[in-house]
Amino acid sequence: MNKVVIVTGASRGIGRNIAYNLAIDGYTVIANYNKSEEEIMKLKNELMGKNINIDIYKADVSKSREARNLINYAIERYNKIDVLINNAGIAEEKLFTDVTDDDFDIMLKNNLYSVFYLTQEAVKFMLKEKNGLIINISSIYALSGGSCEVPYSMAKAGVDGLTKSLAKELGPSNIRVNSVAPGAIDTDMNSNLTEEDWNEVKKETPLGKIGRPIDITRCVKWLIEDEFTTGQVISPNGGIVI
Ligand code: NAP
């Protein structure tokens, strides 16, 4: 059987691109979504048009029960999880002093707790198999810090902490754990940026361009093929953080 891959937050942006391309490459993809039902159906139908089936699964991964149910759905259906891609995430720009306890809670639940719930549930299974790969989509803000995005940066730094610690703990069991930390990528997450903002980002980026979801997908694909990389934070970012 082909490798079974779970992609969280596959209805839009980076996750959609990863799910689409892995399905095209012949992987068995379970594409998670939460609110964007129409978008995930578009992805499913687009692939159906090419005679490729993907499994879609609705879950709010910021909630422990729903996140764990997603993993157990994959196990029950395929008795196999080769790769878990923790991509789902949210961002919000706010001055640090304006961040409420609720804002902080929401940011941590969606970007960090979700990764804990999903990874823990998947690892229970992967340990029995002595096989597995976890790929966490983190952010350059975990490396460089992001002004007006303190809770987001904290959450993503936490994700990288999980990556490194868990890679040490699970290496002997043949389970690899890595982070991919994108720079600015053109998705809905950045829909607040004006053309002027994007030009500014381009100017500050040594490669002089904005990232696209495919730039992250290529890195993810490489990690799936690789066999000797673990505990790393790989950052496709055009050189904006070196
Ligand atoms: P996006 O276009 O806003 O899409 C976010 C995706 O995450 C959507 O599919 C959304 O699903 C899903 N999602 C959010 N909360 C969820 C939840 N609780 N449960 C399930 N799904 C949830 O964002 P993106 O730019 O593709 O970002 C993807 C990842 O890359 C995120 O982790 C983000 O932090 C990271 N990243 C992005 C950039 C960038 O510049 N774009 C840079 C660095 C890192 P629904 O719409 O179905 O709810």
Side-chain angles (χ1 to χ4, degrees), residues 96 104 108 112 141-142 149-159:
F96 181 60
F104 184 67
L108 272 277
L112 180 62
Y141 283 175
E149 297 214 35
V150 171
Y152 178 83
S153 306
M154 287 172 73
K156 294 297 191 180
V159 167

Side-chain angles (χ1 to χ4, degrees), residues 105-141:
D105 215 39
I106 290 168
M107 201 52 64
L108 272 277
K109 283 247 160 72
N110 280 276
N111 291 317
L112 180 62
Y113 284 36
S114 57
V115 176
F116 170 77
Y117 304 141
L118 291 154
T119 304
Q120 190 184 54
E121 205 60 30
V123 163
K124 287 180 200 165
F125 177 80
M126 288 174 174
L127 278 171
K128 287 189 224 149
E129 303 290 303
K130 290 228 179 304
N131 170 61
L133 170 62
I134 315 279
I135 300 175
N136 296 319
I137 307 299
S138 140
S139 166
I140 47 167
Y141 283 175

